[in-house]
Every structure is written in structure tokens, then in C-alpha cells.
Amino acid sequence: MDNLERLLKESWVLVEDSRDRLVSHFYSRLFLDQPGLRNLFPAQMAPQHDRLLEALVTTIQIVGDPERFDTTLRALGRDHRRFHLRDEHFDAVGEALLDALASVAGKHWNDEYQQAWAGVYAAIADRMRAGAAEATEPAFWNAEVLTHERRGRDLAVITCRPLLDRLDYRAGQHVSVEVPRFLPRVWRTYAIANAPTDDNVLEFHVRVPRESWVSAALVRRTKPGHLLRLAAPTGAMTLNRDSSRDILCVAGGVGIAPIKALVQEVARYNRTRWVHVFYGARRRDDLYGLAEFQQLLSDYPWLSVVPVCSKDPDFTGEQGQVSEVFTRFGPWTEHDCFVAGSGPMVRATLGALAADGVPPEQIRYDSFGDY
């Protein structure tokens, strides 16, 4: 770990347990300095608080991987064009962030931490500006909902198609979604659940967690014919076609969505790589995507799927946390690894992969969205 990574992680420990206070201070300072920015955000700010924390944690995790850092931040800049950000807004965000970190950390904050965060934020802003400047696609796409299938009380599988311009993306990426009919200016990130198709249909798996108004609107109120807005695709959990390594996929809940897209993409060219999928949920009924994988299993002999339940004693398959079960089938040091699910599940799986000795450059993960 180089000095910058060490300083970022050390300083994050000082504020990690005071996340609510950190975010509240940040937005208070930001809107005080730039009152006009408040109109770009929804009336209720709670969902936006989660987005900031996700961005901060992701930055700390990828700063040691220059290629991924550059790719992720340029894509984020393209995505954030929907907010009509200007240069002075980037400056105000940086000042508010540093002020919030220093205030919450208190007497433990020092000049080294200040310089580390100032430097990394400058790099973030530069790459986001560059990504926005080089973008040729629209800032967002209007898309018509084609199908809406409930897979339970709080889960739906939705397909939609952009109306005018094609939305190009890679399997494993995600997009921010707005439901303008019900929640204008409120966006939520969802993984795309299918590989790109000629007819440009996108599939999303949406679960309703606590305090997610966008997910609730998508699952309970959206119908075929309604319009959604989709922002530019982001995310680096994509396949390296030049790799000859076999593939490990670990998914929890609706984290199976981007994993399904990756498997579909592999199927288009694969002749030599084995793909091992571990799919976890609390109970058998929560393994809503298993039927589609059964069809994939019958089509592709190189694919294996291991379902896992953590709270279903009657389940006849693997029992336990999926982040632990997959380790019994290892080692995985010679695999390209993909992980998608809730934040705790992803962190536990990354820890298990590290303990197994899997090199970081062979791991891609996604903990955005409602898993």
C-alpha cells in the first residue's frame, strides 16, 4: 500500500462511524456556498446521502488501481452531466468535502490527511471533467417500459427500450434511473441484467429496501408504457476478453442481475473458460433468478451454478452465507472474480478472496443499487 492509500484509509477510519454527521455537514456547507445547487437535488435528501458515501468508499478502494480509477471517474463524469455541473460546482464540492472531513475528524485531522484528500479530489474532479467533455452520447435517455413482471411482493423484473438514441453499454455495468412521472430529480443506480442486444432492450431487477422511493415507484407503480430516464452507463465490473482464466461469480439477492448479464456475454464467445456461479439468498423463494440460470445450464456445459440459502433450514442445497460457502470450493487464485450484492456481502466476499490469495487485479465487484 503506498502512502496516499494509507493516508486515505487512516483518515477514513476517523469519520466512518459518524457518516450521518459527515454527510449533513457536507451538504450544509455545499448549499451555503452554492445555493443554486439545491435545486438540482430532490426535496428529500436521504437517498442522496447514500450516494455520497458510496462514492467516497469506492474512491478509497480504487485509488491504488490507476486504470480503474481513471475509467470509473471518467464514466462518472459522463453520468453526472444530467445534473448540469459547471467548473465552480466541482470546486465547491471539493471545499465542502474537505471541510466536512476535517470537522468530523476533529483534533485527529492533520495536514497530511488534508493534502491527501485535496490531491485525490483534484484527480477525481479532473477525470470527471474530462469524461464529461469527451462524451458524445446524450446526458440521459428517455426509455419506454416494455414489460413489468412481479417476482414477489417487493421485487420486479422490468424491461425498457430507449426511444431515440441507442444506449451502448457493457455487460456488468449499471445506470442511474429516474422515474419522472412519480419522482422527478430523484435517481437510483441499478445494474443492467442483460448483455447488450440488437434491439437495445435493457432489463433491470428491482427490490424495494427501506427508504428507497425510486425502487418503490418502479416495483409498485410503474407500468408498461411509462417513461423512465436512464443516465450514462458506469461501472468497471466488465469482462476482459483477452483473459484465458476461468471465472468465479458470487452474487447475493438481486446482485444476480449483473452476473446474468456477464454470463450471457461470455456465452457469445466462450469456448475454453469455465464459469462458476454462487448465488445466495436468505430463503429458497428469494432465489428468484434460479429458473433462468437453469435454462442457461442446459445450454452451456461450461457453466455451473451453486444456490445457497442462509436462513432456510428446509433448503436441500448449500446452507450458510454465500460469502463463506464459495470458499469451500476453492482455491480461486487462478480465476477472474466478479462479486455483486449488498455492501456487507461484497465486503465479506472481498475479504474471503483476499484471504484466499486472489490478486486484486483479478477481482471486479459492484455494490451499487438495491441488493
Side-chain angles (χ1 to χ4, degrees), residues 66-273:
E67 181 178 354
R68 188 176 178 206
F69 184 83
D70 183 76
T71 301
T72 299
L73 272 301
R74 286 176 183 268
L76 194 62
R78 293 194 294 273
D79 168 73
H80 275 53
R81 287 177 301 139
R82 69 184 191 272
F83 295 124
H84 307 289
L85 297 179
R86 301 190 300 270
D87 282 349
E88 61 267 27
H89 296 152
F90 282 100
D91 296 338
V93 167
E95 292 171 4
L97 175 61
L98 292 172
D99 185 59
L101 289 166
S103 176
V104 173
K107 64 181 181 180
H108 300 291
W109 195 254
N110 60 42
D111 288 341
E112 280 192 301
Y113 296 153
Q114 184 81 6
Q115 291 171 8
W117 278 97
V120 78
Y121 179 77
I124 289 171
D126 285 346
R127 284 160 177 77
M128 287 185 66
R129 288 188 183 104
E134 68 192 13
T136 57
E137 73 271 17
F140 60 82
W141 288 256
N142 289 307
E144 181 183 3
V145 175
L146 303 177
T147 63
H148 185 286
E149 179 187 353
R150 295 291 286 266
R151 298 283 182 92
R153 188 172 65 89
D154 291 325
L155 184 87
V157 173
I158 300 167
T159 62
C160 64
R161 181 189 290 118
L163 293 179
L164 298 176
D165 301 287
R166 181 177 178 83
L167 195 163
D168 290 316
Y169 65 95
R170 296 183 63 188
Q173 290 191 302
H174 46 257
V175 299
S176 293
V177 178
E178 180 193 19
V179 190
R181 176 186 292 259
F182 305 118
L183 291 166
R185 305 197 315 278
V186 183
W187 297 78
R188 184 89 181 172
T189 305
Y190 299 96
I192 305 170
N194 62 304
T197 62
D198 291 340
D199 57 6
N200 205 209
V201 171
L202 283 74
E203 178 181 317
F204 299 102
H205 299 181
V206 184
R207 186 189 299 280
V208 183
R210 292 181 303 169
E211 298 181 354
S212 178
W213 300 308
V214 177
S215 296
L218 285 169
V219 171
R220 297 169 183 160
R221 304 179 70 184
T222 299
K223 299 178 181 179
H226 287 179
L227 291 183
L228 307 177
R229 285 179 179 158
L230 312 179
T234 59
M237 199 180 78
T238 54
L239 289 167
N240 176 7
R241 285 200 174 195
D242 295 328
S243 173
S244 60
R245 288 185 289 267
D246 292 336
I247 295 171
L248 165 68
C249 299
V250 185
V254 293
I256 198 64
I259 299 303
K260 182 169 79 74
L262 289 170
V263 171
Q264 290 176 344
E265 181 67 16
V266 173
R268 294 176 176 176
Y269 72 90
N270 183 45
R271 296 294 182 272
T272 61
R273 305 174 75 178

Side-chain angles (χ1 to χ4, degrees), residues 151 155 207 251-253 256 278-293 305-310 312 315 317-318 322:
R151 298 283 182 92
L155 184 87
R207 186 189 299 280
I256 198 64
F278 292 82
Y279 176 23
R282 292 182 179 180
R283 297 174 180 82
R284 174 63 180 84
D285 290 345
D286 297 327
L287 296 169
Y288 72 94
L290 200 54
E292 291 177 83
F293 270 86
V305 178
V306 178
V308 181
C309 285
S310 61
D312 190 340
F315 183 62
E318 294 291 332
V322 68

